[in-house]
Amino acid sequence: MARILLASAVLALGQLLSCDRYPDCVNGPLAQNDVCNMDLNPSERAKALVSAMTIEEKLANMVDHSQGAERLGLPKYDWWNEALHGVADSPGVHFADSGNFSSATSFPLPITISAAFDDDLVQAIGQAIGMEARAYANAGRAGLDFWTPNINPFKDPRWGRGLETPGEDPFRISKYVEALLKGMEWFGKDPGKTEKRQLLATCKHYAAYDLERWNGVVRYSFDAIVSMQDLVEYYLPPFKQCARDSNVASIMCSYNRVNGTPACANEYLMQTVLREHWNWTSDNNYVVSDCNAVHNIYADHKWVKTAAQAAGKAFTAGTDNICEAGGWTTDVVGAFNQSLVSEEVIDRALRRQYEGLIRSDYFAVFRDEVEGPRSYGWGNVNTKLAQSLALQAAVEGTALLKNDGTLPIKLAKNQSVAVIGFWANDTSDVTMLGNYYGKPAVYRTPLWAAQEAGFQVNYATAPASGAANYSAAIQAARDSDVVVYFGGISEAFESEDKDRTVIAWPEVQRTLLRKISALGKKIVVVQLGTSIDNTPLLVNEQVNAVLWVGYPGMYGGPAAWNIITGKTAPAGRLPITQYPANYTEQVPMTDMSLRPSSKNPGRTYKWYSQAVQEFGFGLHYTNFTIRFDPRYANHSYPTTKLFAGCSLTSRKDRCPFPSHVVQVKNNGNVTSDFVALAFVTTTAGPTPHPIKELASYKRLADVRPGEERSVPLDFTIGNLARVNERGDTVLYEGEYCLVVDVPQQDKACFKLTGADVVLDVWPQPKAGNATHVR
């Protein structure tokens, strides 16, 4: 999204809060329209409303700040609401200055939540965010749609928005978003099987979007040149999950071009793939543009000459609502008056939008008491459950990257600890929140948590970058028995509209750590931020332990100390590759290819083999072993028989492959969670072959010392399939191995025999289909 300016965030606040945000379906003029007839299906109700609107009223409701129709009793509505990791500041969301609705739970960012590899936790967080967001809507302080989650794969460590995502692996992202949407969108015990939604989520940014502003290249004009193989295999699977499998309410098209065509004017992506191939039509789902992305079509991409032409191309290709920001407006009226968009297309877009609102009870009549999501209020915000989930996610998402036995720390009464670093006592109250945050009910820093625990603390701040005076930090370290340094990077380094050019630790922080190392104290480093080359810390024997916390949210301080002191044992795994600092010299951000070549060393753990620490890495306070049950060795599976009993004829990739049981044993003396990770390797299918690909995972809770558990790991046929150069997904005959853990501990190999099976025939761009895929 474009950065939210304070001026736009205050969009007619007094007017918005002075009235009920829901239409009056009982006494107002809208009560006479069938949109309020709850006996009709949502499609019929939406059609009735749009049919009653004049063309002027229709055109006024095609952008994010929809003007409504006073004649009909249809109120204004703002579609721009944010809730990436909790209800967040945005033009449609309005926090009170104090009291009720002045705050919301701020969970860790997705990059940290994802590191827990705990999908039950993800679903619970989604449900909590959805409930709080709906409560804000019911109070007239937000809309019903929220532009989250960000599911673009985080393949390049320089990308400024990687912190918003669940990481680099498309399978992990897909499972994450499946769990999140179950909790966030759906009301009831059977997610996706009811017409009623708690709120409307938006999967973004469609598609191949992972560049902000790098070496003069900006997202507003960038042309992402992507092969069909990479597009289908890497960039699109999370969106397939959203659209085909999770039936998300909305999808946002991105700023960039894809192979020459702006994403928000790309009929191939929005119609051929999204609505035809993935059949994302069951709820008449809608597409919204990123903010000013339609303006960029003519102003930056130079794809057409005028604002009216840009709007006409976007609406006709399948965009249904256009977000405007920063004073730029969309020439919707000009597009219609110049016959660049038909009234039929306008009606289609409006029906899609209003059908979404209908499914969330925006237009509703309650004969008795208000029920379901419309009943949520302030009592559903900042609940004890939500706050415990925020702490749990920050703890579970912490990954231990180095430990020589120093952790967990046990301090004697006469011992003290130095708490040092730029975010150790963050007074901005936002650094641990990253971006797209709201107003948390509390904000607990590492210093607060250390003092609350009763430690003797010597505190000193320290610079994150720039010029430095180290005297206070060195004195605090000298006066202490143990040093805990809270460093890394923050949104000042990586953010929307800001990519990095350097992925090494900031020099000012490395210098301070070298000086502290010379004191001979025990040193624990707690790293904020996404990907940094930790080599200097890993090879420095005076740095005893390193913890990665990502962006841990409002309870980042207590979460860190829970791990440091051993109250909870760490079990998080890196959701991203930690690259060496010189990686930035080996491939430009503009290179969208994944596979290694003479100009590209490869991207992600699948194709890059020189990681400092790879995707899935994470240590423990104990020693685990994981082994496959011996009965799975050297099996053969005829490919055609694998589909027996599977009714998913249009989604063969979702058909189950036989589960494999692993034995997990805690050989140490500390109770700990453990994340079982299973990857598939094969030489079948097109070359080159990936090093490995994540195929299954499961988080085990509280494995006691000496305990051994038998754990079934579930797989689908799609986990074994490969994508060919045409984009088809194929199950190839050949030899395969499942390998477990990082580093690898065991493997189970098998053969697929018989003919290759095409699971999905990928649609090719048609003549004039608005894209040319290389």
Side-chain angles (χ1 to χ4, degrees):
M1 259 0 80
R3 299 293 283 171
I4 302 170
L5 301 177
L6 182 60
S8 65
V10 185
L11 181 64
L13 177 59
Q15 179 181 355
L16 287 169
L17 299 184
S18 65
C19 62
D20 186 355
R21 288 292 294 271
Y22 291 113
D24 186 352
C25 272
V26 177
N27 299 310
L30 206 60
Q32 307 305 312
N33 189 284
D34 272 345
V35 72
C36 292
N37 184 350
M38 298 182 70
D39 292 328
L40 298 178
N41 66 48
S43 180
E44 293 171 321
R45 295 170 64 187
K47 183 177 180 180
L49 174 61
V50 175
S51 297
M53 299 170 75
T54 65
I55 187 60
E56 291 78 14
E57 290 167 338
K58 292 174 182 179
L59 297 176
N61 288 278
M62 298 291 285
V63 295
D64 61 302
H65 44 276
S66 299
Q67 295 302 300
E70 185 176 359
R71 177 183 65 87
L72 298 175
L74 180 67
K76 296 180 179 180
Y77 182 84
D78 201 315
W79 291 88
W80 187 350
N81 305 274
E82 301 284 359
L84 176 66
H85 54 118
V87 179
D89 285 313
S90 43
V93 174
H94 307 284
F95 288 96
D97 292 334
S98 61
N100 293 1
F101 295 101
S102 61
S103 63
T105 309
S106 191
F107 295 90
L109 272 169
I111 197 71
T112 296
I113 299 173
S114 181
F117 284 87
D118 184 346
D119 290 343
D120 290 338
L121 173 64
V122 175
Q123 183 171 340
I125 289 172
Q127 189 168 23
I129 294 174
M131 184 173 287
E132 294 194 8
R134 185 57 190 251
Y136 267 77
N138 292 342
R141 292 187 170 275
L144 291 179
D145 71 292
F146 287 81
W147 293 351
T148 189
N150 182 340
I151 59 169
N152 298 111
F154 183 13
K155 78 171 189 303
D156 193 300
R158 293 164 287 192
W159 185 33
R161 299 187 72 176
L163 66 165
E164 301 174 28
T165 77
E168 71 181 39
D169 182 79
F171 175 70
R172 173 69 189 115
I173 300 171
S174 297
K175 298 299 289 183
Y176 180 102
V177 75
E178 178 182 22
L180 184 81
L181 293 178
K182 281 181 181 178
M184 181 177 285
E185 277 204 300
W186 297 102
F187 175 75
K189 296 181 179 180
D190 195 6
K193 303 298 183 182
T194 174
E195 290 183 346
K196 190 161 294 188
R197 294 180 189 257
Q198 182 169 251
L199 56 76
L200 310 176
T202 301
C203 290
K204 61 186 185 183
H205 311 81
Y206 187 66
Y209 167 67
D210 60 3
L211 181 146
E212 302 299 306
R213 186 179 297 273
W214 178 83
N215 286 358
V217 181
V218 297
R219 59 183 178 170
Y220 308 113
S221 59
F222 176 55
D223 188 6
I225 304 301
V226 188
S227 71
M228 188 69 85
Q229 190 174 39
D230 283 341
L231 186 69
V232 177
E233 177 184 83
Y234 187 75
Y235 294 101
L236 293 188
F239 292 96
K240 178 174 69 174
Q241 174 64 52
C242 281
R244 189 194 71 173
D245 300 325
S246 292
N247 190 29
V248 71
S250 171
I251 284 177
M252 175 179 286
C253 54
S254 56
Y255 289 114
N256 54 289
R257 279 172 284 164
V258 180
N259 297 320
T261 303
C264 290
N266 199 312
E267 184 182 351
Y268 173 70
L269 288 176
M270 289 191 287
Q271 182 62 32
T272 303
V273 175
L274 196 57
R275 292 183 166 112
E276 295 175 7
H277 190 63
W278 289 339
N279 197 30
W280 186 60
T281 57
S282 62
D283 286 1
N284 213 12
N285 317 64
Y286 64 94
V287 172
V288 62
S289 82
D290 207 336
C291 295
N292 287 343
V294 172
H295 166 79
N296 300 141
I297 291 175
Y298 79 94
D300 299 280
H301 292 297
K302 311 296 184 183
W303 200 66
V304 293
K305 294 182 178 180
T306 69
Q309 290 173 333
K313 289 289 187 181
F315 286 130
T316 302
T319 300
D320 302 303
N321 184 284
I322 294 175
C323 177
E324 303 173 326
W328 297 108
T329 59
T330 305
D331 193 1
V332 179
V333 174
F336 178 75
N337 288 340
Q338 297 171 44
S339 300
L340 300 172
V341 62
S342 67
E343 188 168 5
E344 179 183 8
V345 168
I346 291 168
D347 288 355
R348 179 187 70 184
L350 290 171
R351 288 198 303 270
R352 287 170 175 167
Q353 295 174 61
Y354 288 125
E355 185 167 336
L357 292 176
I358 288 166
R359 292 179 185 277
S360 290
D361 275 349
Y362 183 69
F363 305 92
V365 177
F366 294 96
R367 294 176 175 83
D368 298 310
E369 62 181 272
V370 176
E371 58 186 17
R374 281 273 292 250
S375 68
Y376 299 166
W378 177 240
N380 298 102
V381 181
N382 293 324
T383 64
K384 289 183 178 179
L385 174 59
Q387 293 189 7
S388 68
L389 288 170
L391 177 59
Q392 178 185 348
V395 171
E396 285 195 13
T398 298
L400 178 63
L401 304 184
K402 178 182 180 180
N403 189 25
D404 64 1
T406 296
L407 293 182
I409 289 175
K410 303 296 182 184
L411 289 176
K413 290 184 178 180
N414 63 342
Q415 291 183 308
S416 62
V417 59
V419 176
I420 298 171
F422 73 89
W423 62 282
N425 186 34
D426 173 42
T427 56
S428 71
D429 290 349
V430 299
T431 300
M432 296 187 298
L433 307 183
N435 64 358
Y436 284 95
Y437 48 77
K439 297 179 180 179
V442 297
Y443 187 80
R444 301 306 189 202
T445 66
L447 177 61
W448 178 93
Q451 293 171 333
E452 191 74 7
F455 297 135
Q456 295 183 40
V457 176
N458 297 306
Y459 164 71
T461 188
S465 61
N469 183 335
Y470 303 115
S471 57
I474 292 173
Q475 188 60 50
R478 183 177 286 116
D479 292 342
S480 304
D481 296 283
V482 177
V483 177
V484 182
Y485 176 72
F486 293 88
I489 58 175
S490 67
E491 210 201 5
F493 295 80
E494 53 180 355
S495 64
E496 184 166 1
D497 205 30
K498 185 178 184 178
D499 295 317
R500 288 188 286 162
T501 56
V502 176
I503 59 173
W505 271 80
E507 180 58 36
V508 67
Q509 297 187 50
R510 281 187 287 169
T511 298
L512 176 56
L513 284 170
R514 285 195 295 268
K515 291 178 178 293
I516 294 175
S517 296
L519 300 176
K521 306 285 184 172
K522 294 287 188 181
I523 302 174
V524 176
V525 175
V526 185
Q527 180 210 320
L528 191 79
T530 59
S531 181
I532 315 178
D533 180 359
N534 279 327
T535 301
L537 280 61
L538 299 177
V539 300
N540 184 347
E541 294 183 359
Q542 300 304 312
V543 174
N544 305 93
V546 178
L547 290 167
W548 178 90
V549 298
Y551 291 86
M554 67 185 198
Y555 284 123
W561 285 104
N562 279 5
I563 297 291
I564 291 168
T565 61
K567 181 177 180 180
T568 307
R573 304 295 189 107
L574 286 175
I576 49 178
T577 297
Q578 300 284 15
Y579 293 88
N582 65 2
Y583 185 81
T584 59
E585 303 167 7
Q586 298 172 15
V587 59
M589 279 195 73
T590 51
D591 186 338
M592 302 296 289
S593 61
L594 277 294
R595 289 159 173 76
S597 67
S598 60
K599 298 180 180 180
N600 185 340
R603 294 185 178 276
T604 80
Y605 75 96
K606 297 184 181 187
W607 302 102
Y608 182 72
S609 61
Q610 304 300 314
V612 174
Q613 289 176 314
E614 66 176 297
F615 171 93
F617 183 83
L619 302 173
H620 304 84
Y621 288 163
T622 186
N623 177 39
F624 282 100
T625 54
I626 178 170
R627 298 285 185 267
F628 280 108
D629 189 306
R631 61 184 164 173
Y632 297 107
N634 302 317
H635 273 214
S636 291
Y637 301 95
T639 54
T640 53
K641 292 185 178 181
L642 288 173
F643 301 93
C646 180
S647 59
L648 301 173
T649 55
S650 62
R651 298 186 297 162
K652 291 181 180 179
D653 57 301
R654 300 280 290 192
C655 291
F657 183 77
S659 298
H660 282 53
V661 173
V662 292
Q663 304 292 335
V664 175
K665 185 175 182 180
N666 184 345
N667 301 293
N669 56 9
V670 176
T671 297
S672 176
D673 287 6
F674 178 79
V675 175
L677 298 173
F679 301 84
V680 63
T681 67
T682 184
T683 55
T687 58
H689 303 102
I691 300 167
K692 60 182 179 180
E693 296 184 284
L694 184 66
S696 186
Y697 58 84
K698 187 170 293 185
R699 188 177 181 111
L700 286 62
D702 298 323
V703 184
R704 299 184 304 275
E707 181 183 359
E708 185 172 11
R709 293 188 192 176
S710 295
V711 183
L713 294 179
D714 298 327
F715 302 90
T716 66
I717 301 293
N719 295 140
L720 309 180
R722 301 281 315 284
V723 175
N724 63 24
E725 292 184 359
R726 187 183 176 280
D728 299 335
T729 301
V730 182
L731 183 66
Y732 291 97
E733 64 88 23
E735 296 186 358
Y736 294 76
C737 288
L738 297 174
V739 300
V740 286
D741 211 10
V742 177
Q744 178 181 325
Q745 288 201 45
D746 197 17
K747 66 180 179 180
C749 297
F750 56 88
K751 290 183 179 180
L752 297 183
T753 61
D756 299 343
V757 178
V758 178
L759 306 182
D760 182 45
V761 177
W762 190 252
Q764 302 301 301
K766 305 169 186 175
N769 200 206
T771 197
H772 172 65
V773 181
R774 309 297 173 91

